[in-house]
Amino acid sequence: MDAAEVQPVPPGGLAAAVAACDVVSCATLATEPVVQGAWLRAGTHLDLIGSFTPAMREADDACFTHAALYVDTEEALAKSGELLGPMSRGVFTREAVRGTLAELVRGQGRARPAGTQHTVFKSVGTALEDLAAAVLAWENRDGPAAGATAECAP
């Protein structure tokens, strides 16, 4: 398959695709929201990993309304337009963050109170995350997936 065969937006449109998913991952360089909270159904998890400057944004304010919010590091609250904008408009406060990635891994983060509440994880990326991924790849370089390729369905 070459790049010309890849369909970045499904035939039903982005809104329909997001509404059908349990987990939505967004990794763009967008400066305007790509995902709208109105598209998220109850219990959906939203990963936002593209916005890492104050000018970048992947999700609209509605994505954060009543969401259980988690961040990779506290630094995300000072760097990401994804969070800075909604905080400045009173959509949520710093205190609304239920935990960082490190806290969640240690079992110290607060879980979402109900399975119907949607969750948002905002990452601005850290060198430690990159190092952990590199170590994992290195340690598994000769494992069962070594040299494997994956086909993407259109």
Side-chain angles (χ1 to χ4, degrees):
M1 173 186 312
D2 65 26
E5 296 177 55
V6 176
Q7 294 181 9
V9 178
L14 185 58
V18 169
C21 292
D22 293 324
V23 177
V24 177
S25 292
C26 211
T28 74
L29 298 176
T31 56
E32 296 293 326
V34 175
V35 176
Q36 296 181 21
W39 301 344
L40 300 172
R41 67 176 187 219
T44 299
H45 175 73
L46 177 61
D47 279 321
L48 301 168
I49 63 172
S51 165
F52 52 87
T53 73
M56 299 170 84
R57 187 135 191 238
E58 295 178 307
D60 71 358
D61 286 359
C63 290
F64 298 97
T65 304
H66 308 297
L69 176 60
Y70 303 88
V71 295
D72 60 346
T73 64
E74 291 287 331
E75 186 179 18
L77 294 164
K79 287 176 76 173
S80 173
E82 202 81 71
L83 304 177
L84 291 169
M87 283 192 308
S88 73
R89 290 184 287 282
V91 175
F92 66 88
T93 64
R94 293 176 81 88
E95 293 74 30
V97 175
R98 301 184 71 79
T100 65
L101 184 57
E103 291 167 343
L104 289 170
V105 170
R106 290 191 306 258
Q108 298 170 333
R110 295 179 291 149
R112 68 179 171 183
T116 57
Q117 181 180 29
H118 72 268
T119 54
V120 176
F121 175 71
K122 176 62 203 142
S123 175
V124 292
T126 67
L128 183 57
E129 292 166 354
D130 295 341
L131 177 61
V135 167
L136 184 63
W138 178 258
E139 289 175 347
N140 290 287
R141 69 190 180 281
D142 297 322
T149 60
E151 292 293 322
C152 296

